[in-house]
Amino acid sequence: MTAARPTVLLTGSTGVIGATLLPALTARHDVTALVHRRRPQGATTCVQADLTADGLGLSTSQRSELAVGIDVIVHCGGLTDFAPRDHTAFDNVNADGTRRILELAEDAGVPVVLLSSASAAFEVPGDDLAARSMRAYGRSKRRAEELATRCSQPVAIVRTALLFAARNAATAPRHQFPHALFTAMLQARPGGLPVRPDHWTDILPMETLVDYVTALTEAQIRGDVTAPGLHWVTAGPARLTAADLERACIDFLREAGRPASGPLLADAATPRRRMHGMARVAQLGFLPPEQPDMPSHLNRLLPTQVTRTEVLEALCHNVRRCAPWAP
């Protein structure tokens, strides 16, 4: 449909990424939000659909009308549960849902920006519930990427790291790993987190991801031949160690008049009972120091790479928002 103001079809517009991406897209484009239950504020148009249903749950006429009215698809919709009751739900939503979106792109003859995850590149070890859940999630994202490589339309795959909440977000996304982790650490249980101080994780400011995806969407609309393919959108060398997270939490606890009575990190080599819940998820979410940084392609579309200072500022801001005693 290319027009003076192109139309973006956005999935996942009420999710953690989509809700922040929506206003950035509407500033430059018309946005049709593909919605399941909740309708976002700010979209030009909303279309009721279902990623888990054949044909997205749309009638033939609805699908045809949708296809002729869009210029690009930005697919953010997905399942990111820590421990769903049924692990096949990851495939049903993340992989098969992506297949249905790619089929729509082929019908419409438009390019796609696919939000994936760095988890697609890793195979989490372990037989416990947390490990099985994270492994199933990563495999579902990997399968979605594989489907994207077989699509007849140009697809740009965004492998993003973990994300800090946006500064202007109404609430912190409590069910996302970084924020659940900060909340647990702010309980100030000495030695409660069984992670070595030098182990690291990659958490990117949400605003950086939104800037990159917005630029990538515009590149896809322009038909930029360098846009399709794999994009690692991560902090890269600006990664954070467990010690960085501990320091930010201890500093905030002291400032809030709730000083920790000891270190928040425990020596992971010390024999302990089997870890469950957030402690186990945290173990799986950190990588050893000898593991290389994740690739980062931010400078393909943005002026500069994200800096460690920017990441640390986002860390401190997010820690403050995750205080478990806050109303």
Side-chain angles (χ1 to χ4, degrees):
M1 172 193 161
T2 304
R5 188 172 167 89
T7 298
V8 178
L9 178 66
L10 176 64
T11 71
S13 58
T14 59
V16 174
I17 295 175
T20 309
L21 183 59
L22 177 58
L25 292 175
T26 55
R28 304 183 185 198
H29 311 291
D30 290 335
V31 176
T32 296
L34 208 61
V35 300
H36 187 206
R37 295 187 182 90
R38 293 182 293 148
R39 290 175 174 262
Q41 293 184 344
T44 311
T45 309
C46 292
V47 175
Q48 196 82 23
D50 184 352
L51 290 176
T52 65
D54 289 340
L56 298 170
L58 300 171
S59 68
T60 302
S61 61
Q62 287 173 323
R63 188 181 177 90
S64 297
E65 183 179 355
L66 181 62
V68 299
I70 58 176
D71 296 289
V72 64
I73 299 174
V74 178
H75 181 37
C76 297
L79 178 65
T80 57
D81 199 319
F82 282 146
R85 294 179 182 178
D86 180 4
H87 287 168
T88 63
F90 284 124
D91 259 347
N92 292 341
V93 177
N94 297 341
D96 291 333
T98 296
R99 173 177 55 78
R100 296 180 178 103
I101 290 296
L102 295 171
E103 290 169 351
L104 176 62
E106 291 179 332
D107 290 346
V110 300
V112 179
V113 176
L114 170 63
L115 269 291
S116 184
S117 167
S119 300
F122 298 94
E123 187 74 3
V124 175
D127 229 5
D128 54 281
L129 177 60
R132 294 198 308 272
S133 296
M134 293 176 72
R135 188 161 56 245
Y137 172 74
R139 287 175 176 175
S140 72
K141 288 295 192 178
R142 194 177 314 140
R143 185 177 162 222
E145 291 184 3
E146 291 166 355
L147 291 166
T149 63
R150 299 198 289 270
C151 182
S152 63
Q153 295 301 304
V155 182
I157 300 169
V158 177
R159 273 188 184 169
T160 185
L162 297 168
L163 295 164
F164 290 116
R167 285 182 175 268
N168 64 354
T171 59
R174 300 292 183 182
H175 298 294
Q176 295 292 305
F177 170 73
H179 313 291
L181 176 60
F182 302 151
T183 300
M185 292 182 76
L186 290 172
Q187 299 287 346
R189 298 188 183 97
L193 194 66
V195 178
R196 293 179 186 271
D198 59 352
H199 283 216
W200 63 271
T201 189
D202 191 306
I203 314 179
L204 187 73
M206 178 69 74
E207 291 82 358
T208 304
L209 174 67
V210 167
D211 288 347
Y212 193 92
V213 172
T214 301
L216 183 57
T217 300
E218 293 175 355
Q220 285 283 64
I221 292 172
R222 291 194 308 268
D224 186 335
V225 296
T226 67
L230 183 62
H231 299 250
W232 282 86
V233 182
T234 70
R239 70 192 193 184
L240 295 172
T241 64
D244 291 326
L245 272 62
E246 179 187 43
R247 189 177 306 112
C249 289
I250 286 177
D251 287 348
F252 175 57
L253 287 167
R254 185 185 304 113
E255 180 185 325
R258 297 169 176 261
S261 58
L264 304 181
L265 302 179
D267 184 352
T270 301
R272 299 168 62 91
R273 68 183 189 283
R274 188 171 182 176
M275 291 292 102
H276 298 282
M278 180 48 59
R280 178 56 176 152
V281 172
Q283 282 185 322
L284 297 171
F286 285 84
L287 295 170
E290 61 270 17
Q291 180 81 26
D293 301 339
M294 290 185 190
S296 183
H297 298 157
L298 291 176
N299 55 11
R300 287 177 62 175
L301 292 172
L302 299 182
T304 59
Q305 183 75 26
V306 69
T307 66
R308 180 168 165 81
T309 297
E310 291 170 328
V311 174
L312 287 171
E313 287 175 353
L315 168 63
C316 291
H317 176 77
N318 274 251
V319 164
R320 289 173 176 276
R321 300 184 63 188
C322 292
W325 59 83

